[in-house]
Amino acid sequence: MRAFNNLPIAVIDSGVGGLSVLDRLVKRFPYESFIYYGDNLFAPYGNKPLSAVKSRVFAITESLYKRGVKGLVIACNTVSTHFYNEIKNKYPFFVVPTVPPVIDGDGVYLACTSNTAKSEFVKTNYSGRVISFPCLAKTIEDNVFNLNNFNVLPYFSKLDKKVEVLVLGCTHYSFIESNIRTCLGLTTVDGYDTILLKVNYHLQKRNSYSNKNPKITFVGEAKSFNKKVFERVFCHAGGHKI
Ligand code: DGL
């Protein structure tokens, strides 16, 4: 039982976006170990054929399963809104999705990738209130060390909608959250607190909290890049050994 409890929790995304989720997980669960897989070389997922995204994600999940993990956080809205149920039903470990919080209201809009916009989840909960960006995640991915002065205005200038609250439906957008707030004066919302609550629920339910020295491991072709981004952008890893 102790050996199982000390297995890491896997966190996956198409690239750097999920590092913003990893940051929150590390701060909330200082005794847990994490393993991060970013599929950066194949990113973005948001405008690729869903069949191609699916086969990447299942291959990555299978490799993490074989390595040994006690849970999986899908730190990607695109994957979560399309494949969460299939992944959850296939694997024995707990699976926590990243999905935008559902908030009603005329001025509340969801910002997300083109593929997330096509999902049943979004069609059901955000009909007529979606702003999809086909290339924004990739632009963030490619400029991740130079986002302090990133100009968000061109992305929103042609909108004829009165947006008051922007729900961030892509983990990459967290990297420009302060730019959105400052430049556009919008309130932003994400679903990260729900992820933390769900992970805690699963750890508690299975009595599988770790009691060993925590560690963060980066895997996949872009492991060095993701480690560098995590260290530079989020600056700390608490008591975790990286
Ligand atoms: N970060 C991902 C999401 O939350 C995917 C972005 C992309 O690769 O297009 O949707």
Side-chain angles (χ1 to χ4, degrees):
M1 180 56 105
R2 180 165 289 186
F4 176 81
N5 286 7
N6 292 330
L7 288 176
I9 298 168
V11 181
I12 61 167
D13 181 41
S14 64
V16 299
L19 295 172
S20 61
V21 177
L22 178 65
D23 175 56
R24 294 286 300 273
L25 288 163
V26 165
K27 286 174 179 152
R28 170 64 183 84
F29 300 103
Y31 301 109
E32 296 300 328
S33 288
F34 296 93
I35 181 165
Y36 188 84
Y37 196 120
D39 196 14
N40 312 54
L41 303 191
F42 191 74
Y45 281 179
N47 52 13
K48 294 240 165 56
L50 281 165
S51 56
V53 173
K54 184 176 174 179
S55 48
R56 294 291 305 181
V57 169
F58 274 83
I60 290 165
T61 306
E62 187 66 23
S63 74
L64 292 164
Y65 173 56
K66 286 190 179 138
R67 219 183 144 108
V69 297
K70 67 179 175 186
L72 170 71
V73 175
I74 308 172
C76 175
N77 294 263
T78 309
V79 174
S80 302
T81 53
H82 286 281
F83 306 122
Y84 164 64
N85 281 324
E86 273 181 81
I87 296 172
K88 185 184 68 163
N89 293 337
K90 180 165 179 194
Y91 290 98
F93 44 70
F94 72 79
V95 182
V96 171
T98 299
V99 283
V102 176
I103 306 175
D104 292 329
D106 289 343
V108 185
Y109 280 79
L110 173 70
C112 64
T113 67
S114 308
N115 275 337
T116 298
K118 284 184 216 152
S119 67
E120 284 309 316
F121 177 89
V122 170
K123 284 186 203 157
T124 307
N125 296 300
Y126 278 96
S127 173
R129 298 186 294 132
V130 182
I131 308 167
S132 68
F133 296 104
C135 305
L136 182 55
K138 177 77 175 124
T139 305
I140 292 168
E141 180 87 23
D142 292 345
N143 296 283
V144 69
F145 294 122
N146 297 302
L147 294 170
N148 280 352
N149 298 316
F150 183 76
N151 185 7
V152 294
L153 288 175
Y155 290 88
F156 291 87
S157 59
K158 293 202 186 84
L159 284 184
D160 53 354
K161 304 165 166 118
K162 178 136 180 40
V163 184
E164 282 159 12
V165 175
L166 195 67
V167 180
L168 303 182
C170 170
T171 52
H172 280 71
Y173 302 167
S174 298
F175 286 74
I176 55 162
E177 185 170 9
S178 61
N179 311 54
I180 294 172
R181 288 183 183 203
T182 314
C183 295
L184 304 168
L186 300 178
T187 300
T188 52
V189 185
D190 64 40
Y192 288 12
D193 284 342
T194 306
I195 299 172
L196 303 181
L197 286 171
K198 285 185 178 164
V199 169
N200 192 50
Y201 166 81
H202 287 291
L203 292 174
Q204 200 166 45
K205 190 171 133 197
R206 297 167 192 216
N207 194 16
S208 60
Y209 290 105
S210 171
N211 58 3
K212 217 179 135 195
N213 293 343
K215 202 175 154 203
I216 305 171
T217 309
F218 292 85
V219 293
E221 294 88 342
K223 60 184 177 191
S224 310
F225 179 70
N226 287 323
K227 180 173 182 281
K228 193 157 106 183
V229 175
F230 190 67
E231 286 170 342
R232 280 214 211 156
V233 176
F234 298 102
C235 299
H236 90 109
H240 285 74
K241 198 165 162 265
I242 301 191

